[in-house]
Each structure stands twice: as structure tokens, then as C-alpha cells.
Amino acid sequence: MEDITRGGQFLVKETKCENVFTPEDFSEEQIMMRESVKEFVDKEIWPNKNRFEAKDYAFTEEVMKKAGEMGFLSVSVPEAYGGMGMGFVDTCLVCDYISGATGSFSTAFGAHTGIGTMPITLYGTEEQKQKYVPKLASGEWFGAYCLTEPGAGSDANSGKTKAVLSDDGKHYNITGGKMWISNAGFCSLFIVFARIEDDKNITGFIIENDPSNGITLGEEEHKLGIRASSTRQVFFANTKVPVENMLAGRGEGFKIAMNALNVGRIKLAAACLDAQRRVTSNAVNYANERIQFNVPISSFGAIRYKLAEMATSAYAGESATYRAAKDIENRIKLREAEGTSHQEAELKGVEEFAIECSILKVAVSEDVQNCADEGIQIYGGMGFSEDTPMESAWRDARIARIYEGTNEINRMLSVGMLIKKAMKGHVDLLGPASKVQEELMGIPSFDTPDYSELFTEEKELISKLKKAFLMVAGGAVQKYGMDLDEHQQLLMASADILIEIYMAESTILRTEKLAKKEGEAKVQEQIAMAKLYLYKAVDIIAQKGKESIISFAEGDEQRMMLMGLRRFTKYTNMPNIVALRETITAKLVAENSYCF
């Protein structure tokens, strides 16, 4: 337990494949849980997709109650409060497989188990937890989270909702309006954020949903996707809240909101995974059945290209999400072993990997959208029809790039948090960045390396990609210092480099571990996906690196950095990308599903 990786260290520390957790490492209990969730979804949700698309909010509530009866709402809740008390990987596993059939249920489930319940389990007093959490864990009650306001979206701490202490000091009067509140139509309890007097930071409160207490709801919002997820405005007019229902301390609401978002981000990534598997499987089914020019369209290279790319992005998302989930779980266990309370251990464990949570949120939310888009294209005209599952998958996927912090915010956060970690001494960026500068000034080696072992070139290339990030980000920090936040386009380009490094490395490490266990011959398709993902990542990093360098460097410095970028993104043996895609698609078509 002593050599547990810290958040962000993947960039400067070599990770061995034996030290990453992969979906192939699920225990028997985890596999049983996965099968139980899949059976529930295939019985209760998938056959009823039309009811979700028809905005049957009552049905969403009904299925949520059934999920509660099955125990799926209580996976991460400590046993002391009626939950299963399972680990962070289990939490992500259930979130993954319960979320793929429809975004409507996925949103209701995520809003309740995450931001609706978690703030109380992690920040509540013992009395608050005993009173509320068992009801939330069982599905007797449902929770909602009231943070966003018309003028406070990404700038969450700017909310105008007021909390005024009563003359007798026994309760607060809450007045204000919240919008985009998931589960509002059937929740029993709100987590509400309001400002006391002119406090710098907002404060959190637990408010029971009692319409006679000054609480009114707007009409259901008519949304592009997640149609049967209840989404309403919530208005508070002198709503009385007992002082003992303050969550954590005065002015600590912003901290609660930010930490809740960290957990929400990795769980959102998990919630996009099975959607990709299902879309890919449906696309393969259709491509095998659809005959044009007397052959299945799955035999056409243009379709095979799409199927390979869809499967590869799903495989990469799985690899990175479960790697991070286990890293978080290990950090939680380490904290608990040191005597920290479960609450504090979980908070600090997730906070430690906030960079990875933001990376995953961006990468997987964009991959699921691309996957659904290609799914529509494979279905052709039928893909545009509500009679097939593709158009709803595409609409549902679109929200994932907006909530839990927009992808633009998360891109900038990932780089900003990494720089802050470096300043605190938690991640040594300065030492490696200095070595990269020295390497740029030196003469490159012209030795012919031995790449006979699996992934030796790929892992060396990932090491060079990390140098490319250090060169670009280091140069930007030197140029702009503390004003780097003002250069958002540069931050976003740097974030894309960071994202591709983490996703590509996670995919390579998972596959290397699998090949050592099963033998290379048995995992040729996974090897092909890992190589394909890296190839595309190198292209993105070369493009984003160039864009960054020419935006802040000039003259000899610019020429040297561009030369370094070419060196750091250069293959010795370029893979045959068409052959890799053919290997992947042949397996998909033969198995008639996503089968990895």
C-alpha cells in the first residue's frame, strides 16, 4: 500500500501494467453484481424505452423504486445507514451497467445516488445521516440537488438564493429559485445551496419537499434528450429550514458542490460506457442484417471503419475509468488504514484524483456522442427514425458534455489542478520539465531500438508524449505564469494532450496486462484497439502541440519546440491502421456484438 500513485502522477511516473486495475480483474462478486444489474436493465428498462421517450415520468419513478428494492441505490452507502458499503469500483460498476439503456433513467439514478444522497453521507452529522440516508438508500425517498440558478451555471458560487436566520435563531428562511433540477418532480428531499448574509461562499441545507413550506415547482422542461428524467425549476419562498439541517458548516457549500462534482465526473464517465457497448452492438447487428448490393453492409470498408472506431473508444473508456476508480479506492483504503473516518477518506480519496475525474468526464462524454452519431450513420435513414434506438441514444448523449461541469470547464480544470498540485509539491513537474529542456538542447540518439517485445515502442512513445506535454505546458507557464488562466484556448489545447496521454496509456496498460495473462494470440483484437487508439492520440497531440507552441513561442524558441514536438510524436514503425481496424471489425462481425 506504500507506493500508491497520487493523482496526476501518471504524467511523470512510469506505471507498470501489473499496477492498474482492469475490467478483466473483476472479482466473482463484482461479476455477479454486473450480471444482476444487466438482468435488471434488460427486463425493466430496455424493453420499455418507448415509455421513457414518451416522457413517462411516473414510470421513471416506478423503475427507480424497483432499483431501490434490488439494492442498487445503496451500493456506496455505508452499512450503518442501510447501504451495502461496497467499494468505489463497485459503485462505478453498478453506475456503468445500469445507465446504458436510456439516459432518462441514468440521469435519475445518478442524480439520486450521487448528488442527491452523497452530500449527506459525506458531510452530514450523525443525526442527519441516521434520519435521511436509510430512506434514500432504500428508495423510499428520492433526492435532488439544487445548485444551478439562472445566473449561476459554471460559476456555481455566484448563486443569489438567500438564507436568513430567524429572530429566534431556530431556523433559516430560504428564498430563491433553482433551475435544471433533476428528480424535482418526485423527490422527497432537496440539497439546497444558499448564501447567508454577504458570505463569500454559499452554504448547503437539507430541505424536505413540503409544498406547504413555500416550495413550488415549475413545469417539466421539454428537453432534447433524457426526456423522462424529471427536470423542473424549484422555487423557495421563505421556506423554513431548521438550523440543524445545515449541511457541514456555514460557507462550506461551495466545497460540498465541488467535491460532489469530482465524484459525479468519474461516475458520469462510467455511465457512458454501457451506452457505447449497446450502441456498438446494435450497429453491428444492423450492419450484419442490412443487405445492399447483395451483401451485408458489414462487409463494406466504410462501415467496418466506423465499427472499429466505435469499439476502440468504448474499450479505451473502460480501461481508463476502471483504472482511475481503483486508484481512488486504493487511496480511500489507505486513508482509512491510517485512521481517517470513512467520510474523510472518501472525500480525500476522490479529491486526490480530481484531475483524472475531469479527464474521464471529457473523454468519455465525447466518445459516447461520436459513437451514437456513427451508429445513426450505419443505420442510414432508419437511424433518424424513432423506431430504432440510435436517435434516442444520440439525443441522450448530448447532455453528458454539459452537466457535471461543461467539457470546456473540465479541460481547463484538469491543467489548472495539475499546475496547483505541482506548486504544492504533490507532483514533481519541474524536474521532468527541466530534463525535457536539456533533451531538446542535446543530440538525439540514432541507435536502432529493440522493439521485439509487445508494446515496447508504444510505451516508449507514450513516454515521449508526456515529454511533449511537459514541453508545451512548461513553456506556457514560463510565458504567462499566474496569468495562464486568461489564455483559455491554450489551456484547452494542453488539456487535450493530457487527456489523450491518460486514455492511450490506460488502454495500452490494460491490454499488456491481458496479453501477459491470456497470451498475445488470444487478444489480437485488444492489441489492435490499443495500437489504433494510440495512433490517433499521437495525431491529436501533434496537432494540439503545434497549435499551442505557435501561439506563445517565437523565433528560435518556437523552432526548437516544434522540432522537439516532431521528435516526441514520431513512430519508428508506423502501424498499418487499416489492418488494425480489419482485425477489430472481423471479431465484432463474427460475434455480432461488442465482445470485449
Side-chain angles (χ1 to χ4, degrees):
M1 296 289 282
E2 291 175 7
D3 191 34
I4 290 180
T5 301
R6 299 199 68 161
Q9 278 189 338
F10 72 89
L11 192 64
V12 293
K13 182 178 177 182
E14 183 185 355
T15 304
K16 297 188 182 301
C17 70
E18 293 81 8
N19 294 334
V20 297
F21 181 86
T22 75
E24 290 76 31
D25 297 323
F26 288 148
S27 66
E28 286 185 22
E29 290 81 4
Q30 287 169 330
I31 291 169
M32 286 173 61
M33 175 65 83
R34 180 182 67 187
E35 295 310 308
S36 176
V37 174
K38 286 169 70 174
E39 183 181 342
F40 175 80
V41 171
D42 289 336
K43 179 185 175 185
E44 302 289 348
I45 301 177
W46 188 257
N48 295 301
K49 272 181 71 72
N50 60 322
R51 294 185 67 177
F52 290 103
E53 295 313 306
K55 303 181 182 180
D56 192 340
Y57 304 107
F59 185 64
T60 300
E61 182 180 3
E62 180 186 324
V63 180
M64 281 287 286
K65 286 187 181 296
K66 289 180 180 178
E69 291 164 8
M70 293 290 291
F72 299 145
L73 305 182
S74 70
V75 174
S76 63
V77 172
E79 291 180 48
Y81 312 111
M84 293 188 182
M86 300 176 83
F88 199 80
V89 171
D90 302 271
T91 299
C92 288
L93 175 65
V94 172
C95 186
D96 172 353
Y97 283 91
I98 210 164
S99 299
T102 168
S104 295
F105 184 81
S106 172
T107 301
F109 176 86
H112 171 73
T113 58
I115 51 182
T117 303
M118 185 181 57
I120 306 177
T121 61
L122 295 185
Y123 287 99
T125 63
E126 186 61 26
E127 185 182 9
Q128 288 169 348
K129 287 185 285 188
Q130 292 287 357
K131 183 177 180 180
Y132 295 116
V133 176
K135 292 179 180 179
L136 295 167
S138 67
E140 178 187 348
W141 279 23
F142 294 115
Y145 183 83
C146 299
L147 176 64
T148 303
E149 299 182 14
S154 296
D155 185 5
N157 201 36
S158 65
K160 300 289 189 285
T161 297
K162 282 290 185 183
V164 180
L165 187 63
S166 63
D167 292 338
D168 60 11
K170 291 183 178 179
H171 63 263
Y172 283 92
N173 289 313
I174 308 288
T175 300
K178 302 288 183 175
M179 65 190 304
W180 308 125
I181 308 307
S182 297
N183 295 351
F186 59 82
C187 76
S188 310
L189 173 154
F190 298 105
I191 307 293
V192 181
F193 295 89
R195 193 176 311 279
I196 301 170
E197 297 175 345
D198 294 321
D199 287 0
K200 177 184 176 184
N201 292 322
I202 51 181
T203 298
F205 297 90
I206 303 168
I207 302 181
E208 296 180 23
N209 186 5
D210 176 4
S212 68
N213 189 21
I215 300 173
T216 55
L217 303 179
E219 294 297 312
E220 290 286 356
E221 300 286 352
H222 298 290
K223 308 182 295 292
L224 172 71
I226 57 170
R227 288 181 169 175
S229 160
S230 175
T231 311
R232 296 187 175 194
Q233 287 184 283
V234 182
F235 301 99
F236 302 96
N238 286 317
T239 300
K240 290 185 178 181
V241 190
V243 290
E244 56 267 25
N245 274 30
M246 181 186 287
L247 196 54
R250 176 171 173 171
E252 293 190 17
F254 187 62
K255 180 176 71 174
I256 297 171
M258 292 303 100
N259 283 326
L261 285 172
N262 288 334
V263 181
R265 284 162 184 155
I266 186 171
K267 288 182 69 178
L268 176 60
C272 292
L273 296 177
D274 199 50
Q276 289 185 76
R277 296 187 201 102
R278 286 176 181 268
V279 166
T280 303
S281 291
N282 279 312
V284 175
N285 295 163
Y286 187 82
N288 278 338
E289 292 171 4
R290 174 71 168 163
I291 305 298
Q292 291 288 276
F293 308 104
N294 299 317
V295 293
I297 65 170
S298 61
S299 65
F300 299 146
I303 300 297
R304 296 173 79 82
Y305 172 105
K306 294 179 188 301
L307 293 173
E309 296 286 346
M310 291 159 74
T312 297
S313 70
Y315 181 74
E318 291 172 350
S319 306
T321 301
Y322 285 103
R323 173 190 182 182
K326 185 61 172 178
D327 282 342
I328 290 170
E329 185 173 290
N330 287 342
R331 177 61 62 168
I332 292 169
K333 288 179 179 176
L334 179 66
R335 288 272 187 174
E336 288 179 328
E338 293 171 347
T340 307
S341 70
H342 173 76
Q343 287 172 274
E344 188 69 13
E346 187 151 327
L347 279 169
K348 293 297 182 184
V350 176
E351 188 179 353
E352 177 66 49
F353 289 93
I355 295 165
E356 286 82 352
C357 292
S358 282
I359 285 172
L360 288 164
K361 192 274 178 183
V362 172
V364 186
S365 68
E366 293 181 0
D367 283 344
V368 72
Q369 184 83 66
N370 293 335
C371 183
D373 197 71
E374 292 288 43
I376 289 177
Q377 199 69 13
I378 289 168
Y379 271 66
M382 287 303 296
F384 208 67
S385 168
E386 289 188 2
D387 292 335
T388 62
M390 288 298 162
E391 63 88 33
S392 62
W394 185 87
R395 286 187 289 98
D396 284 350
R398 187 61 186 86
I399 188 62
R401 286 154 57 194
I402 298 172
Y403 56 20
E404 306 295 352
T406 66
N407 283 12
E408 291 73 22
I409 289 286
N410 274 286
R411 277 185 164 88
M412 291 184 284
L413 271 176
S414 62
V415 177
M417 289 188 293
L418 183 64
I419 292 169
K420 284 179 183 174
K421 266 183 171 281
M423 289 177 174
K424 290 179 180 178
H426 293 177
V427 179
D428 177 19
L429 295 185
L430 190 59
S434 298
K435 288 180 181 176
V436 172
Q437 290 295 324
E438 291 171 18
E439 188 174 334
L440 288 176
M441 302 296 287
I443 299 170
S445 170
F446 295 102
D447 295 342
T448 304
D450 177 9
Y451 290 141
S452 54
E453 274 192 50
L454 177 67
F455 291 142
T456 45
E457 177 169 9
E458 286 76 12
K459 288 197 290 183
E460 184 179 297
L461 190 49
I462 285 171
S463 177
K464 291 193 292 186
L465 296 178
K466 292 177 183 181
K467 292 176 182 178
F469 175 84
L470 291 168
M471 176 183 71
V472 171
V477 170
Q478 280 187 324
K479 172 84 173 182
Y480 298 115
M482 299 305 290
D483 294 330
L484 184 59
D485 283 356
E486 297 173 16
H487 299 269
Q488 293 190 353
Q489 292 186 49
L490 179 54
L491 276 174
M492 289 175 66
S494 298
D496 282 336
I497 300 173
L498 189 65
I499 289 165
E500 293 304 326
I501 290 168
Y502 188 73
M503 300 298 290
E505 181 181 62
S506 300
T507 310
I508 292 286
L509 291 172
R510 173 189 182 180
T511 310
E512 183 187 12
K513 187 176 186 180
L514 185 60
K516 286 183 176 181
K517 179 183 175 185
E518 301 288 342
E520 290 179 36
K522 290 186 178 180
V523 294
Q524 285 301 303
E525 295 82 16
Q526 288 91 332
I527 291 170
M529 287 191 287
K531 289 185 174 185
L532 177 59
Y533 192 94
L534 178 61
Y535 174 84
K536 296 190 71 177
V538 169
D539 262 5
I540 291 168
I541 290 168
Q543 177 201 342
K544 296 295 182 178
K546 181 179 178 182
E547 180 185 316
S548 300
I549 290 165
I550 61 178
S551 74
F552 70 81
E554 297 175 344
D556 289 342
E557 182 191 19
Q558 184 188 96
R559 282 190 289 275
M560 182 171 291
M561 292 179 81
L562 289 173
M563 179 186 69
L565 182 66
R566 285 191 292 273
R567 189 193 304 179
F568 295 146
T569 54
K570 182 181 178 183
Y571 275 93
T572 300
N573 303 296
M574 191 75 74
N576 182 334
I577 298 305
V578 173
L580 293 180
R581 290 196 189 101
E582 277 300 306
T583 298
I584 298 160
T585 308
K587 179 75 168 176
L588 291 167
V589 168
E591 297 288 338
N592 202 30
S593 70
Y594 178 85
C595 49
F596 308 108

